[in-house]
Amino acid sequence: MSSFKKYRVGDKFKLDRCNPAATPFLEGTEAQQARQLDALAIELDKLQNLLHAAGQRKVLLVLQGMDTSGKDGTIRWVFSRTSPLGVRVAAFKAPTEEERARDFLWRCHAVVPRAGELTVWNRSHYEDVLVPVVEGWIDKAQTRRRYAQINDFERLLTETGTVIVKCMLHISPEVQRQRLQERVDTPGKQWKFSMGDLDVRKKWVPYQAAYEKALRATSTRDAPWYVIPADSKMHRNLMIARLLVKTLDRMDLRVPPSDPALEALVVT
């Protein structure tokens, strides 16, 4: 089994050195892989129950990636056995007029995880150092300030009990082409397709450059980035599930001590 260390973003990170078709976390047949994912999902449910029972720490999973990289699919499969009461998902769309009238992190504060909660961000505050950069809406100085503000924001979260796991779902342009075409060709999936997806696809190279700079500038000791090879949906799901289970295991979560007042209690 591969180490996550290889996929953790460091100071010398280069996105083009990461193979989106790699499958280092796949083992066995497809049936065996499906069973492994189900077992990890069950283990994640147990760990999330401990997180909720302890009621002190929080976990934030950030999912970023180009269109069709599988953010929705990751949430569907990795949390397939987890109680919906213990996991909250926040989807970040284009900012509303109300949100644009405030600083770019304003909308994030309202959806950070509560004590005992695991929250998933489907896209995130990182959209504000990707889209504006590629479109030329902010300059280099403004971009650097946003990197610093993001690091400060995430340090605030970690210092107040939040464990942050950031995953960039890395796909190839050919796999994206296939997935977009599948949406176009499948009546039941056409609602997922937008003509704007093609406009963004034309800017693939600038977006890859923006991702590389953003990931390198904001991967810190307490809130590191992991690049997830995501051409294979199963590999993507297994890798993120393993990463989350490993993260929660390391938190050493425990059931709260028994209440002495309950020792002699008899329910009638």
Side-chain angles (χ1 to χ4, degrees):
M1 181 60 65
S2 291
S3 167
F4 290 104
K5 185 177 180 180
K6 179 180 177 182
Y7 296 92
R8 181 168 169 160
V9 175
D11 295 338
K12 299 180 180 179
F13 167 72
K14 294 289 185 182
L15 187 57
D16 60 7
R17 294 178 185 171
C18 302
N19 180 7
T23 55
F25 288 81
L26 283 188
E27 295 178 334
T29 65
E30 289 186 9
Q32 289 171 327
Q33 293 162 11
R35 288 194 292 270
Q36 290 167 20
L37 181 58
D38 192 51
L40 286 166
I42 291 171
E43 181 64 19
L44 186 59
D45 179 51
K46 294 177 182 177
L47 290 166
Q48 191 283 322
N49 282 336
L50 288 176
L51 177 73
H52 181 71
Q56 297 179 339
R57 307 289 300 282
K58 314 123 181 176
V59 175
L60 173 61
L61 172 64
V62 176
L63 298 178
Q64 280 289 153
M66 298 291 286
D67 292 329
T68 77
S69 59
K71 297 175 288 296
D72 292 344
T74 296
I75 295 168
R76 182 181 304 113
W77 291 105
V78 172
F79 298 99
S80 61
R81 292 300 198 103
T82 310
S83 168
L85 298 177
V87 177
R88 182 161 57 99
V89 177
F92 285 74
K93 306 295 184 181
T96 64
E97 182 178 349
E98 182 78 7
E99 291 165 345
R100 287 196 301 271
R102 294 171 166 82
D103 70 89
F104 77 97
L105 290 171
W106 178 77
R107 62 177 179 167
C108 301
H109 283 274
V111 289
V112 297
R114 299 177 57 185
E117 189 175 60
L118 193 161
T119 296
V120 185
W121 285 0
N122 185 337
R123 300 190 187 272
S124 67
H125 48 318
Y126 284 95
E127 292 295 299
D128 294 290
V129 288
L130 294 169
V131 179
V133 170
V134 173
E135 298 297 335
W137 298 336
I138 60 177
D139 60 26
K140 291 182 179 180
Q142 291 172 304
T143 303
R144 287 194 295 270
R145 283 198 295 272
R146 287 193 176 189
Y147 291 156
Q149 289 159 354
I150 285 173
N151 288 338
D152 289 340
F153 169 64
E154 291 179 355
R155 185 173 64 252
L156 167 66
L157 295 184
T158 58
E159 289 177 351
T160 52
T162 301
V163 175
I164 304 176
V165 181
K166 300 185 295 191
C167 296
M168 187 269 188
L169 311 186
H170 187 35
I171 60 169
S172 64
E174 174 57 22
V175 165
Q176 187 196 56
R177 185 196 68 76
Q178 294 171 6
R179 293 178 183 176
L180 287 174
Q181 190 65 53
E182 182 184 6
R183 290 180 180 181
V184 171
D185 295 341
T186 308
K189 293 185 177 181
Q190 287 179 352
W191 64 272
K192 295 183 178 181
F193 179 79
S194 166
M195 293 302 293
D197 296 341
L198 300 182
D199 295 330
V200 173
R201 178 171 167 77
K202 293 175 183 177
K203 300 172 183 176
W204 184 276
V205 173
Y207 267 103
Q208 297 300 292
Y211 261 110
E212 180 178 290
K213 292 176 182 177
L215 268 58
R216 194 163 56 223
T218 60
S219 187
T220 62
R221 182 178 63 84
D222 292 325
W225 272 106
Y226 293 90
V227 175
I228 311 296
D231 275 3
S232 163
K233 296 178 181 180
M234 179 59 79
H235 177 266
R236 174 199 72 206
N237 296 338
L238 276 170
M239 185 173 177
I240 293 176
R242 289 187 186 281
L243 179 58
L244 277 177
V245 167
K246 182 177 180 180
T247 299
L248 286 158
D249 268 335
R250 285 183 171 179
M251 292 171 68
D252 194 27
L253 300 166
R254 299 177 184 275
V255 176
S258 301
D259 184 351
L262 299 180
E263 291 182 4
L265 179 65
V266 177
V267 179
T268 60

